[in-house]
């Protein structure tokens, strides 16, 4: 009697504790998404809608590898499917470059604010105000300042990643507790040692919060700038395919942008996973 | 000529030895006052006219209720804050000189370990700052961990340790630089009774082995009696030293002493000191 009772308990426990592995969750999620998408696409097309407004997924995948070109009445856009990959690379490379610049500048600025009180007093409000300038207004200004589209895009990405990185790194420095700093003072550590051995390692988790915000927003900033100029990149692809009323192509570019954004986010997460191997004891 | 030189050298040696025995870990505090100024501009008197002699190699407790300025006094000795007035000498030097000469070790109420470093690396931290060679650093850190009984945990991270074990690591870290003076601010007050009593005996063992001065802040009367040569009783409003009591229980002290009449007498005496206030 007692034995069967505990066996039952054990069974209950294992069934309650079943947590599906992540890959399974991802697969189920993807299948669900594709199913819903295909049902809507079929419904839209059955009700007589254009087959490009809500294209089937296989059409889009086919198109990504096709070499068709698209003509509109006014202009000939080189929107052949294969260009999506080169457009993706255009966008991604600039975004990464800009992100790295914003990263470096953000860290340096956080460091200066932490080291020198006047810089903090002047710099921090400036940092907050700079964040209120909308991207919509800023992109044309950057485009007119820098003659090259490439540099405009790069600095937009740098600008967008600068704030979250600077602010979060600085917050990380601020949050280092007093007693940890005092211990180093008692060891007669110099400023360089205090930063390399305490401040930076302690601020890392906070810095990564900043990186996770910065990376996707650098990518978005590039796409947005590309929408305004017709010279390649995913943003241009989205703009041009809309102009040509090729919604299927537009969806393709949008999906590519989402995919790249998610991948960038997880890339940062992956790096964080390998860098931060400890847990807080506070 | 020759003989005089030898005698001089002998005198020097004797003097050096004398210094090592009597000055290295000596703390003298005269007419010390500490007034904090808050951000609003209010003044808070934390210590008034404190005079205190702590002999080299002794174990001294600062005992008193919350707010009587125990932490303040400890932080002045550690050169973490500067007193408003009065003179403080730490090992024959100013607190700043003593700190820069790395004569001090500090243990706080919480372990304040560096979470991103392994236990061993935590103990090595002050040695890294001293630019000690890697091999020597490792040997010393391992020795310290052995002393606090955590040799097997050297490569764990702090979050993998219990509170008592973390506090041991922080003691090992403070001792790694071989400080003449160890300052401890309520180091065991966050621990349970069993762990605390175990650590009392461990600390006394370490103290005997390393011959340093220990200044131990606590608000636990029996703890101060069990550990100390001298209990400095402090009282608040304003913070001051209200009594100094020598504890002449035999050494080495052991758990059985916690049952003796002598021990209870000391506790009762200190209690009555507080009631008199
Ligand atoms: N940074 C500070 N600014 C202003 N007042 C302070 C500051 N630090 C301490 N005080 C005040 O000084 C007095 C003594 O504080 P202290 O921390 O030394 O007491 P304590 O004896 O260590 O108390 P506890 O047992 O609670 O730790 C208190 O009244 C406290 O409010
Ligand atoms: Mg205190």
């Amino acid at each position: 009697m007692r034995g069967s009772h505990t066996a039952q308990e054990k069974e209950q426990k294992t069934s309650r504790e079943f947590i599906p592995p992540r890959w399974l969750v991802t697969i189920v999620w993807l299948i669900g998404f594709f199913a819903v998408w295909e049902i809507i696409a079929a419904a839209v097309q059955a009700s007589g809608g254009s087959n490009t407004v809500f294209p089937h997924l296989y059409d889009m995948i086919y198109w990504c590898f096709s070499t068709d070109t698209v003509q509109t009445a006014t202009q000939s856009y080189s929107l052949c499917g294969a260009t999506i990959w080169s457009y993706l690379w255009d966008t991604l490379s600039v975004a990464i470059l800009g992100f790295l610049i914003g990263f470096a500048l953000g860290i340096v600025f956080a460091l200066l604010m932490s080291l020198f009180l006047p810089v903090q007093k002047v710099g921090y409000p400036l940092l907050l105000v700079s964040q209120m300038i909308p991207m919509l207004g800023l992109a044309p200004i950057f485009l007119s300042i820098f003659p090259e589209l490439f540099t405009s895009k790069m600095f937009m990405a740098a600008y967008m990643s600068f704030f979250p990185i600077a602010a979060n790194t600085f917050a990380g420095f601020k949050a280092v507790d007093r007693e940890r700093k005092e211990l180093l003072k008692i060891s007669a550590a110099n400023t360089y040692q205090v930063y390399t051995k305490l401040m930076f390692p302690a601020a890392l988790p906070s810095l990564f919060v900043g990186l996770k915000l910065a990376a996707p927003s650098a990518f978005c900033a590039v796409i947005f700038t590309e929408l305004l100029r017709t010279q390649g990149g995913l943003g241009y692809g989205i703009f041009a395919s809309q102009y040509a009323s090729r919604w299927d192509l537009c969806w393709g570019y949008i999906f590519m942008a989402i995919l790249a954004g998610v991948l960038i986010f997880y890339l940062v997460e992956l790096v964080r996973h390998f860098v931060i191997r400890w847990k807080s004891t506070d | 000529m020759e003989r005089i030189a030898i005698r001089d050298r002998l005198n020097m040696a004797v003097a050096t030895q004398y210094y090592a025995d009597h000055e290295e870990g000596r703390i003298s505090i005269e007419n010390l006052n500490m007034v904090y100024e808050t951000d609003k501009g209010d003044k808070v008197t934390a210590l008034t006219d404190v005079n205190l002699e702590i002999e080299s190699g002794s174990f001294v407790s600062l005992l008193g209720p919350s707010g009587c300025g125990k932490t303040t006094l400890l932080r002045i000795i550690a050169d973490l804050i500067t007193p408003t007035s009065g003179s403080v000498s730490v090992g024959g030097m100013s607190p700043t000189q003593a700190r820069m000469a790395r004569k001090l070790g500090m243990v706080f109420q919480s372990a304040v370990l560096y979470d991103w470093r392994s236990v061993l690396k935590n103990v090595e931290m002050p040695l890294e700052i001293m630019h000690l060679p890697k091999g020597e650093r490792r040997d010393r850190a391992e020795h310290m961990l052995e002393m606090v009984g955590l040799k097997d945990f050297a490569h764990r991270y702090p979050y993998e340790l219990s509170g008592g074990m973390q506090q041991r690591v922080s003691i090992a870290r403070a001792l790694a630089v071989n400080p003449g003076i160890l300052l401890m601010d309520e180091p065991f007050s966050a621990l349970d009774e069993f762990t605390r009593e175990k650590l009392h005996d461990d600390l006394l063992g370490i103290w005997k082995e390393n011959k340093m001065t220990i200044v131990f802040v606590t608000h636990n009367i029996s703890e101060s009696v069990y550990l100390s040569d001298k209990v400095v009783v402090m009282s608040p409003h304003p913070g001051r030293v209200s009594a100094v009591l020598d504890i002449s229980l035999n050494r080495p002290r052991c758990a059985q002493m916690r049952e003796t009449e002598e021990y209870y007498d000391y506790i009762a005496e200190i209690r009555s000191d507080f009631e008199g206030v």
Side-chain angles (χ1 to χ4, degrees), chain A residues 153-264:
Chain A
K153 290 200 286 188
M154 188 176 75
F155 281 114
M156 273 298 284
Y159 177 82
M160 291 308 288
S161 34
F162 172 76
F163 173 79
I165 293 171
N168 281 285
T169 307
F170 181 64
F173 288 155
K174 276 277 214 194
V176 176
D177 73 26
R178 188 174 75 163
E179 289 178 342
R180 287 203 172 85
K181 285 190 261 187
E182 286 175 347
L183 275 177
L184 287 195
K185 192 177 172 194
I186 287 170
S187 303
N190 58 35
T191 307
Y192 175 76
Q193 288 171 323
V194 169
Y195 274 83
T196 52
K197 291 184 192 298
L198 173 62
M199 301 297 268
F200 269 110
L204 269 180
S206 178
L207 168 62
F208 269 101
V209 172
L211 293 183
K212 276 198 263 185
L213 290 171
S217 73
F219 188 67
C220 282
V222 173
I223 291 180
F224 183 79
T225 315
E226 285 166 348
L227 284 170
L228 304 177
R229 277 275 179 90
T230 51
Q231 275 172 36
L234 287 179
Y236 164 68
I238 291 169
F239 165 78
S241 54
Q242 281 180 6
Y243 197 77
S245 300
R246 282 294 300 269
W247 304 104
D248 52 343
L249 305 190
C250 186
W251 277 116
Y253 287 118
I254 289 172
F255 270 116
M256 198 50 99
I258 293 171
L259 207 67
V262 170
L263 279 179
I264 288 170

Side-chain angles (χ1 to χ4, degrees), chain B residues 66-67 69-72 75 109 185-186 217 219:
Chain B
S66 186
K70 306 181 294 290
T71 299
T72 303
R75 293 164 65 81
Q109 181 172 357
D185 194 354
E186 302 186 22
V217 167
H219 47 222

Side-chain angles (χ1 to χ4, degrees), chain A residues 176-190 193-194 196-205 275-282, chain B residues 75 78-81 99-102 104-117 125-126 128-131 157-159 166 173 177:
Chain A
V176 176
D177 73 26
R178 188 174 75 163
E179 289 178 342
R180 287 203 172 85
K181 285 190 261 187
E182 286 175 347
L183 275 177
L184 287 195
K185 192 177 172 194
I186 287 170
S187 303
N190 58 35
Q193 288 171 323
V194 169
T196 52
K197 291 184 192 298
L198 173 62
M199 301 297 268
F200 269 110
L204 269 180
V275 171
I276 298 179
R277 314 233 63 165
W278 68 87
K279 289 188 192 127
S280 168
T281 55
D282 300 324
Chain B
R75 293 164 65 81
D79 188 39
L80 295 173
I81 49 176
R99 177 171 66 79
M100 294 314 282
R102 301 190 166 104
L104 304 169
M106 177 72 123
V107 177
F108 294 102
Q109 181 172 357
S110 62
V112 283
L113 299 177
Y114 304 106
D115 295 337
W116 53 92
R117 288 177 162 239
M125 178 74 122
E128 274 177 34
I129 288 165
M130 288 169 72
H131 297 294
Y157 278 107
Y159 77 91
Q166 290 179 11
R173 179 179 57 190
V177 297

